[in-house]
Amino acid sequence: MTALPRGGAPAEALTEVEASIEDRWRSFLAEYEVTAGTKEETDLAESVVADTSVFEWRVVDAAFDRLTCIDCGNGLGAGPVGCEKCDQANGFRFAAIETDRPATPPGTEHGLRVATAVARTRHRYGARARCGFELGLPLLLEGELPGTAQAQAYRATINKLTEEECERVTSFEEVTRLSSRRVR
Ligand SMILES: [Zn+2]
């Protein structure tokens, strides 16, 4: 499980999403009659990452969690930017199936999936990108998708913060509060 240095609602949301990833993997193993912790589980994970486009994103993320990059030694897709194997794996990650939950705007599940990937492999992204995606996690988990104008407004206020502030804030309200104090 990923410990998010940022506390508050984003950390709680990530814990909840990660639990859903693990739940989905357990039922996936059951479907294939595979026992956790066996070589068959690793084989199954490898077959998932070989063609991510036919599996749900939670299954794909769980599969990556169970594999190690032979080049950098990190979780597959979770190594530093520049590890070719991880960069490639991370690209395939986003080909997975994203099914919007009932009564949520189209694209919400995509947003949740991307925000989760950013929060779980945060060293692959800059402080401002991390800030926007991680603060968005609780909303997306609740089934809310900020519109384009709203998202742009969030980005504009995040851009007014220092990188240190970006790492510390735990809500968009806090971002607004900090940025409104700033004279530019
Ligand atoms: Zn790697």
mmCIF file of all heavy atoms in Angstrom, residues 22-46:
data_model
loop_
_atom_site.group_PDB
_atom_site.id
_atom_site.type_symbol
_atom_site.label_atom_id
_atom_site.label_comp_id
_atom_site.label_asym_id
_atom_site.label_seq_id
_atom_site.Cartn_x
_atom_site.Cartn_y
_atom_site.Cartn_z
ATOM 1 N N GLU A 22 -7.254 -4.083 -4.352
ATOM 2 C CA GLU A 22 -6.943 -5.394 -3.768
ATOM 3 C C GLU A 22 -8.166 -6.318 -3.789
ATOM 4 O O GLU A 22 -8.049 -7.507 -4.088
ATOM 5 C CB GLU A 22 -6.418 -5.229 -2.336
ATOM 6 C CG GLU A 22 -4.999 -4.693 -2.281
ATOM 7 C CD GLU A 22 -4.019 -5.536 -3.106
ATOM 8 O OE1 GLU A 22 -3.879 -6.739 -2.812
ATOM 9 O OE2 GLU A 22 -3.415 -5.002 -4.049
ATOM 10 N N ASP A 23 -9.337 -5.759 -3.485
ATOM 11 C CA ASP A 23 -10.583 -6.554 -3.530
ATOM 12 C C ASP A 23 -10.808 -7.113 -4.925
ATOM 13 O O ASP A 23 -11.169 -8.275 -5.099
ATOM 14 C CB ASP A 23 -11.800 -5.674 -3.191
ATOM 15 C CG ASP A 23 -11.939 -5.477 -1.693
ATOM 16 O OD1 ASP A 23 -11.194 -6.138 -0.939
ATOM 17 O OD2 ASP A 23 -12.776 -4.637 -1.296
ATOM 18 N N ARG A 24 -10.603 -6.230 -5.911
ATOM 19 C CA ARG A 24 -10.849 -6.640 -7.295
ATOM 20 C C ARG A 24 -9.868 -7.745 -7.688
ATOM 21 O O ARG A 24 -10.243 -8.688 -8.386
ATOM 22 C CB ARG A 24 -10.710 -5.421 -8.225
ATOM 23 C CG ARG A 24 -11.074 -5.713 -9.666
ATOM 24 C CD ARG A 24 -12.536 -6.123 -9.794
ATOM 25 N NE ARG A 24 -12.815 -6.683 -11.120
ATOM 26 C CZ ARG A 24 -12.710 -7.980 -11.414
ATOM 27 N NH1 ARG A 24 -12.324 -8.861 -10.503
ATOM 28 N NH2 ARG A 24 -13.002 -8.410 -12.643
ATOM 29 N N TRP A 25 -8.624 -7.637 -7.230
ATOM 30 C CA TRP A 25 -7.631 -8.660 -7.568
ATOM 31 C C TRP A 25 -8.006 -9.995 -6.932
ATOM 32 O O TRP A 25 -7.887 -11.045 -7.561
ATOM 33 C CB TRP A 25 -6.230 -8.215 -7.129
ATOM 34 C CG TRP A 25 -5.156 -9.194 -7.521
ATOM 35 C CD1 TRP A 25 -4.484 -10.048 -6.693
ATOM 36 C CD2 TRP A 25 -4.644 -9.439 -8.841
ATOM 37 N NE1 TRP A 25 -3.578 -10.804 -7.411
ATOM 38 C CE2 TRP A 25 -3.657 -10.450 -8.732
ATOM 39 C CE3 TRP A 25 -4.926 -8.895 -10.105
ATOM 40 C CZ2 TRP A 25 -2.949 -10.932 -9.840
ATOM 41 C CZ3 TRP A 25 -4.216 -9.377 -11.202
ATOM 42 C CH2 TRP A 25 -3.246 -10.384 -11.063
ATOM 43 N N ARG A 26 -8.475 -9.946 -5.687
ATOM 44 C CA ARG A 26 -8.871 -11.195 -5.024
ATOM 45 C C ARG A 26 -9.991 -11.897 -5.793
ATOM 46 O O ARG A 26 -9.963 -13.108 -5.987
ATOM 47 C CB ARG A 26 -9.305 -10.929 -3.573
ATOM 48 C CG ARG A 26 -8.138 -10.981 -2.589
ATOM 49 C CD ARG A 26 -8.646 -10.989 -1.147
ATOM 50 N NE ARG A 26 -9.261 -9.726 -0.791
ATOM 51 C CZ ARG A 26 -8.576 -8.666 -0.344
ATOM 52 N NH1 ARG A 26 -7.272 -8.757 -0.166
ATOM 53 N NH2 ARG A 26 -9.189 -7.535 -0.043
ATOM 54 N N SER A 27 -10.968 -11.129 -6.252
ATOM 55 C CA SER A 27 -12.057 -11.777 -7.001
ATOM 56 C C SER A 27 -11.575 -12.238 -8.375
ATOM 57 O O SER A 27 -12.041 -13.249 -8.901
ATOM 58 C CB SER A 27 -13.294 -10.873 -7.102
ATOM 59 O OG SER A 27 -12.979 -9.678 -7.749
ATOM 60 N N PHE A 28 -10.606 -11.501 -8.940
ATOM 61 C CA PHE A 28 -10.008 -11.899 -10.217
ATOM 62 C C PHE A 28 -9.281 -13.244 -10.055
ATOM 63 O O PHE A 28 -9.426 -14.152 -10.884
ATOM 64 C CB PHE A 28 -9.037 -10.799 -10.670
ATOM 65 C CG PHE A 28 -8.432 -10.990 -12.040
ATOM 66 C CD1 PHE A 28 -9.195 -10.846 -13.186
ATOM 67 C CD2 PHE A 28 -7.080 -11.303 -12.181
ATOM 68 C CE1 PHE A 28 -8.632 -11.006 -14.455
ATOM 69 C CE2 PHE A 28 -6.507 -11.460 -13.433
ATOM 70 C CZ PHE A 28 -7.291 -11.312 -14.570
ATOM 71 N N LEU A 29 -8.524 -13.384 -8.971
ATOM 72 C CA LEU A 29 -7.835 -14.655 -8.692
ATOM 73 C C LEU A 29 -8.851 -15.785 -8.542
ATOM 74 O O LEU A 29 -8.654 -16.888 -9.061
ATOM 75 C CB LEU A 29 -7.001 -14.558 -7.405
ATOM 76 C CG LEU A 29 -5.724 -13.714 -7.440
ATOM 77 C CD1 LEU A 29 -5.012 -13.796 -6.094
ATOM 78 C CD2 LEU A 29 -4.788 -14.151 -8.556
ATOM 79 N N ALA A 30 -9.945 -15.496 -7.862
ATOM 80 C CA ALA A 30 -10.974 -16.511 -7.649
ATOM 81 C C ALA A 30 -11.579 -16.958 -8.975
ATOM 82 O O ALA A 30 -11.794 -18.152 -9.207
ATOM 83 C CB ALA A 30 -12.055 -15.982 -6.705
ATOM 84 N N GLU A 31 -11.826 -15.981 -9.871
ATOM 85 C CA GLU A 31 -12.370 -16.308 -11.197
ATOM 86 C C GLU A 31 -11.467 -17.284 -11.940
ATOM 87 O O GLU A 31 -11.930 -18.146 -12.668
ATOM 88 C CB GLU A 31 -12.476 -15.043 -12.067
ATOM 89 C CG GLU A 31 -13.675 -14.160 -11.813
ATOM 90 C CD GLU A 31 -13.485 -12.772 -12.453
ATOM 91 O OE1 GLU A 31 -12.965 -12.715 -13.602
ATOM 92 O OE2 GLU A 31 -13.834 -11.764 -11.808
ATOM 93 N N TYR A 32 -10.159 -17.075 -11.784
ATOM 94 C CA TYR A 32 -9.197 -17.921 -12.492
ATOM 95 C C TYR A 32 -8.720 -19.110 -11.652
ATOM 96 O O TYR A 32 -7.837 -19.848 -12.062
ATOM 97 C CB TYR A 32 -7.980 -17.082 -12.948
ATOM 98 C CG TYR A 32 -8.297 -16.214 -14.147
ATOM 99 C CD1 TYR A 32 -8.991 -15.018 -14.000
ATOM 100 C CD2 TYR A 32 -7.923 -16.601 -15.437
ATOM 101 C CE1 TYR A 32 -9.304 -14.221 -15.094
ATOM 102 C CE2 TYR A 32 -8.223 -15.811 -16.538
ATOM 103 C CZ TYR A 32 -8.909 -14.623 -16.369
ATOM 104 O OH TYR A 32 -9.212 -13.840 -17.452
ATOM 105 N N GLU A 33 -9.321 -19.244 -10.463
ATOM 106 C CA GLU A 33 -8.966 -20.325 -9.526
ATOM 107 C C GLU A 33 -7.466 -20.359 -9.250
ATOM 108 O O GLU A 33 -6.819 -21.413 -9.293
ATOM 109 C CB GLU A 33 -9.481 -21.682 -10.042
ATOM 110 C CG GLU A 33 -11.003 -21.695 -10.115
ATOM 111 C CD GLU A 33 -11.571 -22.987 -10.701
ATOM 112 O OE1 GLU A 33 -10.777 -23.807 -11.194
ATOM 113 O OE2 GLU A 33 -12.792 -23.150 -10.645
ATOM 114 N N VAL A 34 -6.927 -19.189 -8.976
ATOM 115 C CA VAL A 34 -5.503 -19.048 -8.671
ATOM 116 C C VAL A 34 -5.367 -18.620 -7.207
ATOM 117 O O VAL A 34 -6.145 -17.809 -6.715
ATOM 118 C CB VAL A 34 -4.861 -18.005 -9.617
ATOM 119 C CG1 VAL A 34 -3.485 -17.569 -9.116
ATOM 120 C CG2 VAL A 34 -4.751 -18.565 -11.041
ATOM 121 N N THR A 35 -4.378 -19.199 -6.520
ATOM 122 C CA THR A 35 -4.148 -18.871 -5.111
ATOM 123 C C THR A 35 -3.130 -17.745 -4.994
ATOM 124 O O THR A 35 -2.102 -17.760 -5.683
ATOM 125 C CB THR A 35 -3.612 -20.118 -4.369
ATOM 126 O OG1 THR A 35 -4.482 -21.210 -4.649
ATOM 127 C CG2 THR A 35 -3.547 -19.876 -2.862
ATOM 128 N N ALA A 36 -3.427 -16.786 -4.113
ATOM 129 C CA ALA A 36 -2.506 -15.672 -3.880
ATOM 130 C C ALA A 36 -1.175 -16.189 -3.353
ATOM 131 O O ALA A 36 -1.133 -17.148 -2.588
ATOM 132 C CB ALA A 36 -3.115 -14.687 -2.882
ATOM 133 N N GLY A 37 -0.090 -15.573 -3.799
ATOM 134 C CA GLY A 37 1.233 -15.925 -3.293
ATOM 135 C C GLY A 37 1.901 -17.078 -4.034
ATOM 136 O O GLY A 37 2.999 -17.489 -3.673
ATOM 137 N N THR A 38 1.239 -17.593 -5.057
ATOM 138 C CA THR A 38 1.823 -18.708 -5.816
ATOM 139 C C THR A 38 2.456 -18.201 -7.117
ATOM 140 O O THR A 38 2.243 -17.053 -7.516
ATOM 141 C CB THR A 38 0.737 -19.742 -6.199
ATOM 142 O OG1 THR A 38 -0.255 -19.060 -6.991
ATOM 143 C CG2 THR A 38 0.075 -20.326 -4.959
ATOM 144 N N LYS A 39 3.205 -19.101 -7.772
ATOM 145 C CA LYS A 39 3.795 -18.755 -9.058
ATOM 146 C C LYS A 39 2.687 -18.498 -10.083
ATOM 147 O O LYS A 39 2.842 -17.669 -10.980
ATOM 148 C CB LYS A 39 4.710 -19.882 -9.536
ATOM 149 C CG LYS A 39 5.401 -19.526 -10.846
ATOM 150 C CD LYS A 39 6.354 -20.593 -11.341
ATOM 151 C CE LYS A 39 6.983 -20.157 -12.664
ATOM 152 N NZ LYS A 39 6.006 -19.894 -13.741
ATOM 153 N N GLU A 40 1.567 -19.206 -9.916
ATOM 154 C CA GLU A 40 0.432 -19.009 -10.836
ATOM 155 C C GLU A 40 -0.073 -17.570 -10.758
ATOM 156 O O GLU A 40 -0.518 -17.010 -11.754
ATOM 157 C CB GLU A 40 -0.720 -19.968 -10.501
ATOM 158 C CG GLU A 40 -0.499 -21.408 -10.932
ATOM 159 C CD GLU A 40 0.597 -22.126 -10.146
ATOM 160 O OE1 GLU A 40 0.721 -21.862 -8.926
ATOM 161 O OE2 GLU A 40 1.348 -22.916 -10.753
ATOM 162 N N GLU A 41 -0.011 -16.995 -9.564
ATOM 163 C CA GLU A 41 -0.457 -15.601 -9.421
ATOM 164 C C GLU A 41 0.464 -14.677 -10.235
ATOM 165 O O GLU A 41 -0.003 -13.790 -10.946
ATOM 166 C CB GLU A 41 -0.469 -15.158 -7.959
ATOM 167 C CG GLU A 41 -1.014 -13.734 -7.814
ATOM 168 C CD GLU A 41 -0.940 -13.199 -6.386
ATOM 169 O OE1 GLU A 41 0.000 -13.567 -5.659
ATOM 170 O OE2 GLU A 41 -1.824 -12.400 -6.022
ATOM 171 N N THR A 42 1.770 -14.900 -10.129
ATOM 172 C CA THR A 42 2.726 -14.095 -10.895
ATOM 173 C C THR A 42 2.500 -14.288 -12.393
ATOM 174 O O THR A 42 2.506 -13.318 -13.162
ATOM 175 C CB THR A 42 4.184 -14.491 -10.538
ATOM 176 O OG1 THR A 42 4.297 -14.523 -9.110
ATOM 177 C CG2 THR A 42 5.176 -13.512 -11.113
ATOM 178 N N ASP A 43 2.275 -15.533 -12.797
ATOM 179 C CA ASP A 43 2.020 -15.808 -14.219
ATOM 180 C C ASP A 43 0.771 -15.074 -14.699
ATOM 181 O O ASP A 43 0.751 -14.511 -15.798
ATOM 182 C CB ASP A 43 1.828 -17.319 -14.456
ATOM 183 C CG ASP A 43 3.136 -18.085 -14.249
ATOM 184 O OD1 ASP A 43 4.204 -17.439 -14.192
ATOM 185 O OD2 ASP A 43 3.079 -19.325 -14.129
ATOM 186 N N LEU A 44 -0.259 -15.103 -13.857
ATOM 187 C CA LEU A 44 -1.507 -14.428 -14.222
ATOM 188 C C LEU A 44 -1.266 -12.917 -14.339
ATOM 189 O O LEU A 44 -1.730 -12.270 -15.291
ATOM 190 C CB LEU A 44 -2.594 -14.724 -13.173
ATOM 191 C CG LEU A 44 -3.996 -14.203 -13.474
ATOM 192 C CD1 LEU A 44 -4.547 -14.774 -14.773
ATOM 193 C CD2 LEU A 44 -4.951 -14.523 -12.320
ATOM 194 N N ALA A 45 -0.507 -12.353 -13.393
ATOM 195 C CA ALA A 45 -0.184 -10.914 -13.433
ATOM 196 C C ALA A 45 0.569 -10.592 -14.725
ATOM 197 O O ALA A 45 0.293 -9.585 -15.380
ATOM 198 C CB ALA A 45 0.640 -10.524 -12.210
ATOM 199 N N GLU A 46 1.493 -11.475 -15.109
ATOM 200 C CA GLU A 46 2.251 -11.240 -16.343
ATOM 201 C C GLU A 46 1.356 -11.279 -17.575
ATOM 202 O O GLU A 46 1.540 -10.495 -18.509
ATOM 203 C CB GLU A 46 3.401 -12.246 -16.466
ATOM 204 C CG GLU A 46 4.648 -11.695 -15.790
ATOM 205 C CD GLU A 46 5.740 -12.719 -15.566
ATOM 206 O OE1 GLU A 46 5.578 -13.881 -15.999
ATOM 207 O OE2 GLU A 46 6.752 -12.341 -14.947
#
